[in-house]
Amino acid sequence: AQSVAQPEDQVNVAEGNPLTVKCTYSVSGNPYLFWYVQYPNRGLQFLLKYITGDNLVKGSYGFEAEFNKSQTSFHLKKPSALVSDSALYFCAVRANNAGNMLTFGGGTRLMVKP
Amino acid sequence: SQTIHQWPATLVQPVGSPLSLECTVEGTSNPNLYWYRQAAGRGLQLLFYSVGIGQISSEVPQNLSASRPQDRQFILSSKKLLLSDSGFYLCAWSLGQLRTGYTFGSGTRLTVV
């Protein structure tokens, strides 16, 4: 069975500082990995994905994530946080033999303070 | 381009009343469709998914049901709402092997009073 862990319920950073939101996964086979962002009372929006190729993936709003196969991690990063980045972030994974289902992590709330 | 529509955006319903939430997808064919519930702004609970017309898989036993009467239409229903049905309901669609992930609707905030 596949699983995703987001070990931090909340991450607090100051505006202008770098941010990291952690994600680790467990799947059999090669994973498809995704990050989504959710603003209050909105649906989830796609940020970035890793399917294959370069381990460093760049996405929307200046976010990036690095696929680390040996550590089974896909941490979300941004060099300089903005107050407007404050939101709920979800990591998701699909094993390559898992058909059409994503497994989501529990979400991490990012708070960026001015 | 593909779009997903979900309505209504907010709904306040009394306990014991029926429920019908609708989700439609445009610009694609044979999508996989999903209903999720999110409580208290946290994790996502998969309620139902469908890979084709009339094909519904239920992930958790509950007071809700789903139907897919047309290829791009997914309906979430209840005959009698419970207080515990309150939450934020999200519809999503995907294609094939998920290389593009899920696309989510804007959600429905349901409050049962």
Side-chain angles (χ1 to χ4, degrees):
Chain A
Q2 56 193 42
S3 65
V4 179
Q6 292 182 242
E8 302 153 316
D9 284 345
Q10 183 161 319
V11 170
N12 298 310
V13 297
E15 187 174 31
N17 283 1
L19 69 88
T20 298
V21 182
K22 296 180 180 177
C23 172
T24 58
Y25 65 90
S26 175
V27 298
S28 56
N30 295 319
Y32 292 177
L33 292 155
F34 302 85
W35 275 103
Y36 290 85
V37 60
Q38 185 184 31
Y39 299 100
N41 293 312
R42 299 290 187 92
L44 278 68
Q45 297 176 32
F46 170 80
L47 272 181
L48 51 79
K49 65 180 178 181
Y50 172 82
I51 304 296
T52 187
D54 289 342
N55 290 341
L56 184 62
V57 178
K58 294 186 182 295
S60 307
Y61 311 120
F63 284 93
E64 60 187 29
E66 185 167 11
F67 170 61
N68 188 318
K69 189 172 184 178
S70 63
Q71 297 186 7
T72 62
S73 67
F74 191 56
H75 301 330
L76 181 70
K77 299 183 178 184
K78 187 173 182 181
S80 179
L82 300 173
V83 173
S84 57
D85 292 329
S86 299
L88 188 57
Y89 290 81
F90 289 95
C91 182
V93 67
R94 196 220 82 166
N96 66 356
N97 60 350
N100 46 33
M101 299 302 295
L102 288 181
T103 297
F104 286 85
T108 298
R109 188 165 301 282
L110 174 66
M111 299 290 292
V112 182
K113 300 190 177 177
Chain B
S1 63
Q2 302 96 346
T3 55
I4 179 169
H5 302 281
Q6 191 179 340
W7 68 92
T10 59
L11 192 59
V12 180
Q13 292 284 97
V15 168
S17 64
L19 173 73
S20 181
L21 302 181
E22 189 162 343
C23 173
T24 60
V25 180
E26 296 179 356
T28 189
S29 297
N30 302 316
N32 303 314
L33 295 170
Y34 313 84
W35 277 111
Y36 283 86
R37 178 167 59 198
Q38 186 179 30
R42 293 305 311 200
L44 302 171
Q45 179 187 29
L46 178 63
L47 301 176
F48 301 95
Y49 69 93
S50 172
V51 299
I53 296 174
Q55 300 178 59
I56 309 294
S57 296
S58 175
E59 289 297 298
V60 291
Q62 62 220 321
N63 188 40
L64 302 169
S65 62
S67 61
R68 185 170 177 174
Q70 300 180 44
D71 181 45
R72 291 169 291 175
Q73 184 185 29
F74 204 24
I75 298 172
L76 183 69
S77 303
S78 174
K79 292 183 179 178
K80 289 186 177 182
L81 283 169
L82 305 173
L83 288 174
S84 58
D85 292 322
S86 295
F88 193 55
Y89 289 81
L90 290 160
C91 181
W93 71 272
S94 71
L95 288 176
Q97 295 302 304
L98 286 184
R99 293 182 69 86
T100 53
Y102 290 0
T103 300
F104 285 84
S106 54
T108 295
R109 172 73 59 192
L110 172 66
T111 303
V112 182
V113 295

